[in-house]
């Protein structure tokens, strides 16, 4: 009878990464949701002219919101040791990069995607076997 128990230890770096991801995702979501209201208030107060505001496609903003929501759900999954959480975090990287590409920042999107993927790989390389399903 095998009585060995595999102890899951997240470690300080992975824990800090997941906590920081949640913190910045929530902060980003708040900023994305309130940016439109703040701009409307500035126009209504006369601080900014409506003609001074450039036309912006809503698609990158929508993709940013979706990316943040997917990242938050992914972190919850990763915190509970589910592989689908890591896959969702990776999907949030891709969604964010697509939003950046549509917004006109191809190089920064690709570089950001590679850096995010490298950091996540480094944090998980020794812990992947501890994740379920």
């Amino acid at each position: 009878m095998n009585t060995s128990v595999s102890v899951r230890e997240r470690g300080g770096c992975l824990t800090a990464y997941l906590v920081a991801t949640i913190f910045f995702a929530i902060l980003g979501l708040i900023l994305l949701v309130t940016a439109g209201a703040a701009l409307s208030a500035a126009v209504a107060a006369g601080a900014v002219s409506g003609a001074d505001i450039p036309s912006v496609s809503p698609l990158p903003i929508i993709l940013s919101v979706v990316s943040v929501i997917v990242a938050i759900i992914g972190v919850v999954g990763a915190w509970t040791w589910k592989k689908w959480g890591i896959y969702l975090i990776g999907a949030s990287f891709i969604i964010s990069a697509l939003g950046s590409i549509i917004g006109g920042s191809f190089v920064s999107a690709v570089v950001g995607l590679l850096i995010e993927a490298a950091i996540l790989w480094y944090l998980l390389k020794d812990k992947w076997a501890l994740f379920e399903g």
Side-chain angles (χ1 to χ4, degrees), residues 61-96:
I61 297 168
I62 293 168
L63 287 174
S64 293
V65 171
V66 170
S67 172
V68 167
I69 292 169
V70 169
I72 291 170
I73 295 168
V75 168
V76 170
W79 191 267
T80 59
W81 297 98
K82 306 294 185 212
K83 285 183 180 177
W84 59 261
I86 302 301
Y87 296 139
L88 283 180
I89 292 171
S92 76
F93 296 164
I94 294 168
I95 295 167
S96 177

Side-chain angles (χ1 to χ4, degrees), residues 49-132:
S49 167
D52 294 335
I53 302 170
S55 176
V56 177
S57 169
L59 189 56
I61 297 168
I62 293 168
L63 287 174
S64 293
V65 171
V66 170
S67 172
V68 167
I69 292 169
V70 169
I72 291 170
I73 295 168
V75 168
V76 170
W79 191 267
T80 59
W81 297 98
K82 306 294 185 212
K83 285 183 180 177
W84 59 261
I86 302 301
Y87 296 139
L88 283 180
I89 292 171
S92 76
F93 296 164
I94 294 168
I95 295 167
S96 177
L98 287 174
S100 293
I101 289 169
I102 291 170
S105 302
F106 180 78
V107 173
S108 66
V110 171
V111 170
L113 180 63
L114 292 175
I115 290 170
E116 290 170 335
I119 290 170
L120 189 61
W121 170 82
Y122 181 77
L123 292 173
L124 295 174
K125 66 183 173 109
D126 296 331
K127 300 189 183 311
W128 186 250
L130 300 174
F131 286 84
E132 299 173 356

